[in-house]
Amino acid sequence: MELDQKTGFPIAFLERMQAMLGEDYPAFLAHFALGTRYHGLRVNPLKLSPSEFLSRHRTLFSDQSLAPVPWTVEGFYYDEQDRPGKSPLHEAGIYYIQEPSAMSAAQAVTLPDKAHPLVLDLCAAPGGKSTQLAGKMMGEGLLVANEIVSSRAKILSQNIERLGISNALVLNETPDRLAERFPDTFDCILVDAPCSGEGMYRKNDIALTEWSSDNVKMCAERQARILDAAAQMLAPGGRLVYSTCTFAPDEDEAAICRFIAAHPEFRLVDTGLEDYFTAGNSRFLPDEVKAVPGLEKTIRVWPHIVHGEGHFVAALEKSADCSGCPPDYPFFPLGSGRMEPAQKKLYREFCEQTLTPSAADWLEAGYFTLFGEELYRLPACTLPCDRLKVVRSGLHLGSFRKNRFEPAHALAVALRAEDFLQTVPVTMEQAEGYLRGETLDIPADKGWLGVVLQEAGGRYPLGWGKSDGKRVKNHYPKGLRRL
């Protein structure tokens, strides 16, 4: 691969970008030369609204921080010096650190007007888009977040847990295997496809060193296979959103044109992002690819035009009249489960001693399932996932030990402060100690309680503690503790 001596970019990449951008090419190059990067966070609406976040926590950020990201109401820019990932607010799931342009894809997903939507994020790790979708769903329906790479699926699961998401199923499967299992099933599917990553050159040096024309071609072929699987799984009338973080037309406009040529039951629709970004362009297509109607509805995020990295987003709709019918899945009835009577007794005793009746009732209005001694809860509309690689089967409630039930960290952060019968409030400084695993020298009634960060009028569960009457033993997971 021959590199340009001045920019360090591959010459073939630069030549293609110059042909695509024309008179905008110097501005594109100048932008990369500046090395400016934009940092973003997205407020978690499962915890608080953007206005509440600003009114309570703006003072924790520098004066120039928290300008709104125009295309996402929960999104804000922040200064790198603020380091919000180090704050206890981050561990409480108050926000997700996410590159601003990356917030565009999930924004283009429109949920159906139904009580229990089924939503699939097919290439979900590390979880930015899945958690954004969960914020749109607000606990209703089922979110299936899938990641084919097992190590990345674990990171995805951790982020689902940290943000207190209770209605997500995390899988570690291939798209083809899911397509065989769930034909014509999902109301919405997001495919944030693995790509050549040209739009992330300033953020990810590996994307630059691995670039080649052959790699772009390989990515395009893989994306086509993933889209074929998504087409099988989308229910008639459903919405498919496709996104990449690359500039390569083979992976963007051409990928969409090839897909629609192979799947004429799909048509391009508005993304809802037209006011913020540039339309896709049929002029970028290779000679052998024919443009499809509506290609101008796709959008490109150019980093020399907006405050964000490079992205491409397309929204497609599957004809409601096409052949196919959603299978009659055996959605589990409310409150069903597989606990033994002795286990049910231990679990319900814990709820009576620790949670408010309304919180306990909310948990009961779901499907309980056991993995060994681990108890999970999914919403009543869950899908059957036997013989699939399940990383997280919904909300992890806890573990059965000898003659007792021990609550999981995931349960604590999925609850509200008012859902606990007893809490111990901590300041930001005390929260730092708790996150390091320190015991809290705070008297409280004996038993399990929620450790709650109390900051500027907000009350956010951080995890569990267990009081002996004089102090609170720390039950923050050892694997998450800060050194």
Side-chain angles (χ1 to χ4, degrees):
M1 178 175 61
E2 189 176 0
L3 299 179
D4 177 70
Q5 301 257 327
K6 185 176 180 181
T7 64
F9 288 165
I11 290 177
F13 165 74
L14 292 177
E15 289 175 345
R16 189 238 291 153
M17 296 310 301
Q18 185 171 19
M20 290 172 64
L21 290 169
E23 62 183 19
D24 280 350
Y25 179 67
F28 175 81
L29 272 191
H31 174 76
F32 278 93
L34 288 173
T36 304
R37 281 183 55 191
Y38 296 97
H39 303 272
L41 62 82
R42 185 173 38 74
V43 174
N44 179 8
L46 299 174
K47 300 287 186 178
L48 76 173
S49 69
S51 60
E52 288 172 328
F53 174 74
L54 288 176
S55 64
R56 293 175 185 175
H57 306 304
R58 179 183 281 279
T59 57
L60 299 176
F61 294 80
S62 61
D63 291 343
Q64 303 304 314
S65 271
L66 302 185
V69 174
W71 47 89
T72 305
V73 68
E74 292 91 5
F76 296 92
Y77 294 97
Y78 70 86
D79 288 347
E80 186 175 9
Q81 66 189 31
D82 290 328
R83 306 186 74 187
K86 300 293 184 181
S87 170
L89 292 173
H90 179 267
E91 302 313 308
I94 302 307
Y95 47 74
Y96 187 97
I97 306 297
Q98 189 175 25
E99 194 279 315
S101 292
M103 302 176 190
S104 59
Q107 189 67 31
V109 174
T110 303
L111 298 177
D113 184 17
K114 61 186 293 188
H116 302 294
L118 298 179
V119 180
L120 170 64
D121 187 355
L122 189 52
C123 313
K129 296 172 179 66
S130 288
T131 54
Q132 190 173 355
L133 291 172
K136 281 175 166 272
M137 297 170 74
M138 292 300 291
E140 298 297 325
L142 177 71
L143 170 63
V144 178
N146 180 70
E147 172 54 45
I148 192 172
V149 180
S150 58
S151 59
R152 286 169 55 81
K154 291 177 183 177
I155 296 171
L156 166 64
S157 180
Q158 290 169 357
N159 282 320
I160 292 285
E161 175 178 285
R162 181 174 60 81
L163 269 69
I165 296 166
S166 63
N167 62 328
L169 178 70
V170 180
L171 302 180
N172 172 213
E173 281 292 351
T174 66
D176 287 344
R177 185 160 163 77
L178 293 182
E180 291 173 4
R181 189 64 176 275
F182 300 121
D184 299 311
T185 296
F186 295 97
D187 301 298
C188 302
I189 299 178
L190 173 60
V191 176
D192 182 42
C195 67
S196 56
E198 295 174 358
M200 295 287 121
Y201 278 176
R202 292 181 306 166
K203 183 179 178 182
N204 183 0
D205 291 337
I206 296 176
L208 177 58
T209 59
E210 292 182 347
W211 187 91
S212 70
S213 298
D214 287 342
N215 186 46
V216 169
K217 181 179 179 182
M218 182 273 291
C219 288
E221 291 170 350
R222 179 172 56 192
Q223 290 151 4
R225 294 193 297 271
I226 294 172
L227 281 170
D228 285 344
Q232 287 181 251
M233 288 186 278
L234 191 67
R239 188 178 182 97
L240 168 64
V241 172
Y242 172 79
S243 68
T244 72
C245 57
T246 190
F247 305 119
D250 264 344
E251 304 176 63
D252 295 341
E253 288 95 343
I256 293 300
C257 291
R258 293 185 182 109
F259 173 75
I260 292 179
H263 299 274
E265 71 274 21
F266 281 82
R267 66 183 182 94
L268 283 159
V269 295
D270 290 334
T271 61
L273 301 168
E274 297 78 15
D275 292 342
Y276 311 107
F277 303 120
T278 305
N281 198 327
S282 60
R283 185 175 60 81
F284 299 158
L285 293 172
D287 292 340
E288 70 276 10
V289 177
K290 183 180 179 181
V292 296
L295 194 61
E296 72 282 354
K297 295 178 185 291
T298 66
I299 63 104
R300 277 186 171 269
V301 183
W302 293 110
H304 61 288
I305 296 176
V306 302
H307 292 170
E309 306 297 343
H311 272 73
F312 174 86
V313 180
L316 304 105
E317 187 176 279
K318 188 175 184 179
S319 171
D321 300 326
C322 68
S323 62
C325 179
D328 186 18
Y329 292 114
F331 283 3
F332 298 101
L334 297 180
S336 65
R338 302 172 186 170
M339 286 184 282
E340 297 294 330
Q343 292 173 321
K344 286 184 181 180
K345 183 174 183 292
L346 289 174
Y347 168 72
R348 286 173 177 158
E349 283 177 351
F350 164 81
C351 289
E352 289 172 4
Q353 296 164 6
T354 312
L355 305 179
T356 63
S358 61
D361 289 345
W362 170 70
L363 292 173
E364 287 283 342
Y367 173 70
F368 292 92
T369 186
L370 279 168
F371 283 81
E373 299 301 309
E374 306 300 317
L375 181 65
Y376 288 80
R377 182 257 194 200
L378 272 166
C381 61
T382 189
L383 298 173
C385 289
D386 50 298
R387 299 186 303 279
L388 293 178
K389 296 177 185 176
V390 179
V391 180
R392 177 172 293 270
S393 186
L395 177 60
H396 188 194
L397 300 181
S399 310
F400 289 105
R401 300 291 182 255
K402 186 177 180 181
N403 296 323
R404 70 184 190 279
F405 177 80
E406 291 191 358
H409 175 68
L411 174 58
V413 293
L415 294 170
R416 303 166 301 169
E418 54 266 33
D419 291 329
F420 300 87
L421 289 178
Q422 183 179 199
T423 62
V424 56
V426 295
T427 63
M428 291 285 272
E429 184 178 357
Q430 289 171 320
E432 293 280 2
Y434 174 75
L435 296 174
R436 291 192 295 268
E438 296 174 7
T439 298
L440 297 171
D441 290 320
I442 302 173
D445 292 340
K446 291 183 179 180
W448 290 103
L449 49 76
V451 178
V452 174
L453 173 62
Q454 195 156 300
E455 166 65 26
R459 300 177 69 228
Y460 314 117
L462 287 169
W464 292 105
K466 194 171 187 181
S467 174
D468 62 6
K470 297 179 180 179
R471 59 187 59 84
V472 177
K473 183 179 179 181
N474 194 312
H475 281 264
Y476 193 71
K478 291 182 179 179
L480 299 179
R481 292 179 183 178
R482 298 180 175 181
L483 301 177

